[in-house]
Amino acid sequence: MKINMPAGAEWIIEKLKLAGFDAYVVGGCVRDGLLGKTPTDWDITTPAKPEEISVIFADQKQVSIGQRHGTISIKSHEQYFEVTTYRIDGVYSDGRRPDAVSFTNELTEDLARRDFTINAMAYNHHAGLVDPFNGVDDLQIRQIRCVGDAELRFGEDYLRIIRAYRFAAVLGFSLEEGTKQAAVSGRRNLHQIARERVQAELSKLLIAGNFAAIKTFLDDCADTLFPDIAALGGVVQTNDYHVYDVYGHTLEVLRNAPPLLHQRVAALFHDVGKAHTKTTDDAGIDHFYGHGAVSVEIAKKSLKYWCFDNATTARVLDIIKYHGRTVLPEKTAIKRFISQAGVQTVADVLEFQMADNLGKSQFAIDTTLPRIKKAQEILSQILEEGEPATVKDLVITGKDVMDLLNIQPSPVVGKHLARLLEKVIENPELNTLESLQSMVLSHAGLDSGQ
């Protein structure tokens, strides 16, 4: 089998060969090439030592920031390629990176230190595929399997536990049983890893396309990473709108949410407050009054703990805050919602509500989805027609109001603008300077402080 390499990688490999050293592309680029995907990164491995690599490519631009661990980036054909010496990793005392590395002349020893068999293959046009751990077989049966002893591999870097599920989710694979067992038994160690690294892997995992792998990850690891979500299992929802317990509903919403990080994270946390707000009436019907606000607070703490960025966090919390709001499919109602929450939030909430209700009973689907779809259509119409829905859309500004009434900045200005916006939301044709000035003057005596 042949893997098509970029010209820059081929040139580096040939130049190393002319200098007397073997060289191969290695790792993820080989895996993706065999899967028919176009790799974005091409890593090269060779027995040449860093100082030898540096001399061989003395006439090329180099970046030697990784030289201590045997890596030098070489520029070839307008692209940088990481060239790394075959190495053996030392002890991983921090469960993240080796305390030291030693170089070796054996390619198999270098491949043996890697995480999964599908990432432990090397290739060049001369030798073909080097696959000592049967990564090709695992590609064919679509499974993620650790190289060698799974507990040892995960113990070297606990983040590999999440990476295993992430590769399964991205590639549509499953975890080999021994690998899965080792991941489950080692999951408690995930708290030893820098939270930023955990968040980065979680974000990639949650937006992947293979829901089965995401579900397996949550079933196996939520009790460690998201205990509030794991606690939703068994929280029954006895009412006309639900057929799953809260955990099952959460998974169904996650299944139906678009592969956008803010939507998927909102799916995880939108009902997390239900475990704390459940009541059952005399008829045996379950209620969860105020669960949205509780869910916001729990999500806020968890997202901060796992170092999610502020922009993503804000969108997630807004979705959770408004996810239970009934948005009437009327222009006036939707424009009022926009004036309160902003266009982005309204669009996010409506999109989320589609996924949320698809995870409920057929009764809920039949009674809510037509309304939500109609509301989305009206929102698009409002935006296309440019109808005013926020204070910024008014043709009059706060300064105009102050000049017109000869007043200084004060809450009175905001009251005038809010009153004007309400009128314009109901009657867009009133959004003219003459009309708005007339309304300001007619209401000038109603506000104090003038």
Side-chain angles (χ1 to χ4, degrees), residues 242-254:
H242 289 282
V243 292
Y244 304 101
D245 68 10
V246 183
Y247 181 72
H249 167 68
T250 297
L251 292 178
E252 287 301 307
V253 179
L254 190 63

Side-chain angles (χ1 to χ4, degrees), residues 176-194:
E176 178 267 336
E177 187 56 34
T179 297
K180 186 177 187 297
Q181 290 178 3
V184 172
S185 65
R187 70 191 187 283
R188 301 293 181 189
N189 295 307
L190 290 171
H191 284 283
Q192 297 185 33
I193 307 169

Side-chain angles (χ1 to χ4, degrees), residues 57-208:
F57 296 99
D59 56 346
Q60 302 299 122
K61 287 187 177 180
Q62 304 180 18
V63 178
S64 58
I65 189 170
Q67 188 168 353
R68 186 170 70 89
H69 290 290
T71 300
I72 297 179
S73 292
I74 305 295
K75 188 174 184 180
S76 172
H77 293 68
E78 302 304 316
Q79 183 179 352
Y80 278 96
F81 298 86
E82 289 191 355
V83 182
T84 303
T85 304
Y86 298 166
R87 74 187 203 196
I88 300 172
D89 293 343
V91 175
Y92 287 73
S93 61
D94 64 355
R96 176 181 178 183
R97 58 166 65 91
D99 297 342
V101 300
S102 58
F103 300 134
T104 177
N105 291 318
E106 296 297 327
L107 174 60
T108 301
E109 291 183 337
D110 179 86
L111 297 177
R113 69 181 175 82
R114 297 173 184 265
D115 51 8
F116 310 115
T117 61
I118 62 171
N119 296 332
M121 296 180 284
Y123 173 88
N124 67 32
H125 293 324
H126 303 286
L129 183 69
V130 180
D131 180 23
F133 304 103
N134 301 314
V136 167
D137 291 344
D138 287 328
L139 286 179
Q140 291 175 344
I141 62 176
R142 304 175 69 82
Q143 78 172 4
I144 304 299
R145 178 169 59 90
C146 283
V147 173
D149 184 274
E151 290 189 3
L152 177 61
R153 289 287 83 79
F154 290 143
E156 292 169 343
D157 183 353
Y158 299 123
L159 192 65
R160 287 173 173 171
I161 292 173
I162 305 180
R163 281 170 56 84
Y165 292 97
R166 193 254 291 179
F167 277 121
V170 170
L171 298 175
F173 287 15
S174 60
L175 268 64
E176 178 267 336
E177 187 56 34
T179 297
K180 186 177 187 297
Q181 290 178 3
V184 172
S185 65
R187 70 191 187 283
R188 301 293 181 189
N189 295 307
L190 290 171
H191 284 283
Q192 297 185 33
I193 307 169
R195 284 174 274 174
E196 293 85 355
R197 296 181 73 218
V198 173
Q199 181 272 129
E201 283 295 331
L202 284 173
S203 296
K204 295 174 185 176
L205 168 64
L206 290 174
I207 62 173

Side-chain angles (χ1 to χ4, degrees), residues 195-196 198-200 202-203 206 225-229 261-270 272 294-321:
R195 284 174 274 174
E196 293 85 355
V198 173
Q199 181 272 129
L202 284 173
S203 296
L206 290 174
L225 300 177
F226 305 117
D228 290 294
I229 293 171
L261 186 60
H262 60 282
Q263 291 283 341
R264 293 281 176 90
V265 175
L268 276 181
F269 286 98
H270 77 288
V272 73
V294 177
S295 297
V296 165
E297 292 306 311
I298 294 173
K300 185 187 299 184
K301 292 178 182 177
S302 187
L303 297 184
K304 181 178 181 180
Y305 180 85
W306 289 118
C307 302
F308 280 83
D309 65 272
N310 292 336
T312 299
T313 298
R315 292 184 78 170
V316 169
L317 297 182
D318 281 342
I319 291 172
I320 297 173
K321 177 181 178 180

